[in-house]
Amino acid sequence: MNRHKVFMIALQILSISFLLFGCSTSNSSHGNVEYLIYKDNENHFSINYPSTWSIDSKQPNVGVMFDSPKENDQDMYTENVSAGAFSLPTEATSPIENYVNGMVDTIKKQTPEMNVIKTSSLKINNVPAIQIIYTAKRDNLDLAYKATYLLKGKVGYIIVFTCLNGEIDKYSPVVDNMINSFVITD
């Protein structure tokens, strides 16, 4: 099997894990947000998160998940950000942009009704990254996802924000701050 196919299989497995475990139930508000630093020494990364959000590092196949607090008793969905690292079978030597179609295809295989809103290239602390924003239905909920992938050597990183469809803009200031704070600590 060629290296590109092996690499794409590894990305598929990780994407599936984050889609399956990247959700829980309740809601959040933000104003002036105080951030704390979460350090994952095993997976060699750190990320800032709002001090009012809870941390769950016990989810299977997910390094860490940050859950937003409830806004009120009627909230039925907890927006969350999950972050993790995974080993690649071979070093990623191609530009990350070369993997976008494979990443989208992987998500579509697991969630055929997904609708890609936008893909973009960015840099997070000088590491090239790809961001895929899409919508999909899960457990009868219309959800929106902002999945950010980074590759460095033989390690891939993924940060996934999950919220009710239509609420990405509401959470963007906090979530973008979290994503942009992500640091690979070697």
Side-chain angles (χ1 to χ4, degrees):
M1 186 179 309
N2 74 31
R3 289 171 29 158
H4 183 72
K5 285 186 181 181
V6 171
F7 178 76
M8 292 312 300
I9 290 169
L11 280 176
Q12 289 175 355
I13 292 167
L14 187 68
S15 294
I16 292 164
S17 297
F18 274 88
L19 285 174
L20 292 175
F21 298 106
C23 300
S24 58
T25 57
S26 178
N27 219 349
S28 144
S29 66
H30 359 273
N32 292 332
V33 180
E34 177 186 346
Y35 290 87
L36 302 174
I37 299 172
Y38 176 86
K39 293 182 182 180
D40 185 327
N41 294 324
E42 182 179 329
N43 291 306
H44 307 285
F45 71 83
S46 68
I47 186 170
N48 295 350
Y49 66 96
S51 61
T52 57
W53 289 34
S54 63
I55 299 173
D56 182 355
S57 59
K58 306 286 187 226
Q59 291 284 331
N61 302 313
V62 175
V64 63
M65 184 180 300
F66 305 96
D67 293 316
S68 67
K70 281 185 160 190
E71 277 186 32
N72 56 49
D73 291 338
Q74 286 75 43
D75 287 339
M76 300 301 244
Y77 189 82
T78 300
E79 288 68 21
N80 61 73
V81 172
S82 54
F86 58 99
S87 296
L88 300 172
T90 59
E91 186 167 344
T93 55
S94 296
I96 194 166
E97 292 80 11
N98 293 354
Y99 301 108
V100 172
N101 291 337
M103 292 174 193
V104 169
D105 289 345
T106 298
I107 298 167
K108 281 185 178 180
K109 284 178 186 171
Q110 300 308 313
T111 313
E113 73 283 355
M114 67 111 45
N115 179 36
V116 175
I117 306 299
K118 179 181 174 182
T119 62
S120 56
S121 299
L122 59 151
K123 281 196 175 195
I124 299 172
N125 291 308
N126 295 317
V127 177
I130 290 296
Q131 194 166 78
I132 304 169
I133 299 173
Y134 61 98
T135 59
K137 217 176 200 29
R138 181 163 185 259
D139 298 330
N140 293 319
L141 292 172
D142 290 322
L143 299 175
Y145 299 85
K146 183 185 280 193
T148 306
Y149 298 85
L150 299 91
L151 306 175
K152 186 171 182 184
K154 292 184 97 176
V155 181
Y157 298 89
I158 184 170
I159 308 159
V160 180
F161 169 58
T162 308
C163 66
L164 292 172
N165 192 10
E167 294 196 351
I168 280 188
D169 290 341
K170 175 181 175 182
Y171 288 89
S172 281
V174 169
V175 171
D176 290 348
N177 192 341
M178 293 176 73
I179 292 168
N180 290 322
S181 76
F182 189 87
V183 174
I184 300 169
T185 57
D186 293 320

